[in-house]
Amino acid sequence: MLPLASLIKELADLIIECEVCGNLDTKSPCSICTNPKRDTKLLCVVEELGDLWAFEKGNIYSGLYHVLGGRLSAINGIGPKELNLDTILKRVTESKIEEIIIAINPTLEGQVTAQYIIELLKNLDVKISRLACGIPMGGEIDYLDEGTLRIALTSRQDIK
């Protein structure tokens, strides 16, 4: 077990936080930020590293990321200074990002965090979008809570 523990410690010592997006990698900027095949016009803002990995695992998104490191929470004493928020403004103004996708969990604190980001970026020449919320695939309407139904109804889309 000692050789395994030693290897785990060596690996832990190699892992660093990306100075650009907040991802964990063995180098900074990370392999996502330096990948030339990434769409540098898209920036997906996520709460935690696990959210980034969920997108990557599914291989469904090819843009860049910005990891906040949590969400705003007055109850828990987490304000804007405790999150990786100040660098979003800098990234957008210093790069060619055309769209910011806010991929934050639709909790009360997540909604507050998303609104804070929208207010922070509203005067910039950049498209801001959010992930769709509502009825999950395979879900049945009579089993959903009122909040989910309300969001699904207000977020409805035209059929083309």
Side-chain angles (χ1 to χ4, degrees):
M1 293 178 78
L2 290 177
L4 177 61
S6 175
L7 286 172
I8 291 173
K9 182 179 178 344
E10 280 181 43
L11 180 61
D13 291 341
L14 290 174
I15 303 296
I16 57 175
E17 185 175 302
C18 176
E19 61 198 33
V20 177
C21 72
N23 186 21
L24 294 180
D25 204 331
T26 55
K27 62 182 182 174
S28 181
C30 71
S31 56
I32 292 175
C33 290
T34 57
N35 184 341
K37 294 182 180 177
R38 290 286 186 174
D39 185 348
T40 57
K41 295 176 184 168
L42 293 174
L43 181 67
C44 184
V45 179
V46 296
E47 285 181 29
E48 302 285 351
L49 217 48
D51 302 329
L52 180 152
W53 292 339
F55 279 103
E56 286 300 292
K57 179 177 63 174
N59 198 27
I60 54 174
Y61 174 73
S62 62
L64 301 174
Y65 294 97
H66 190 86
V67 181
L68 295 176
R71 58 183 168 248
L72 296 172
S73 173
I75 293 172
N76 296 315
I78 301 171
K81 292 186 187 327
E82 284 73 41
L83 300 178
N84 188 15
L85 282 166
D86 56 340
T87 54
I88 293 176
L89 192 56
K90 181 180 178 188
R91 284 184 79 181
V92 174
T93 56
E94 294 179 0
S95 65
K96 293 185 168 97
I97 293 171
E98 294 177 3
E99 181 179 0
I100 296 175
I101 303 165
I102 299 176
I104 296 176
N105 294 312
T107 61
L108 179 60
E109 292 170 335
Q111 300 286 45
V112 170
T113 306
Q115 193 58 44
Y116 183 89
I117 294 168
I118 291 166
E119 288 296 315
L120 187 68
L121 303 172
K122 72 179 180 182
N123 294 325
L124 299 178
D125 186 25
V126 63
K127 177 181 177 183
I128 301 172
S129 61
R130 294 195 65 184
L131 292 183
C133 296
I135 303 172
M137 290 297 290
E140 295 188 28
I141 292 173
D142 58 336
Y143 290 110
L144 298 175
D145 63 279
E146 293 84 16
T148 301
L149 281 173
R150 183 179 304 109
I151 291 171
L153 189 61
T154 58
S155 301
R156 68 187 182 275
Q157 300 174 358
D158 291 338
I159 297 175
K160 297 176 183 172

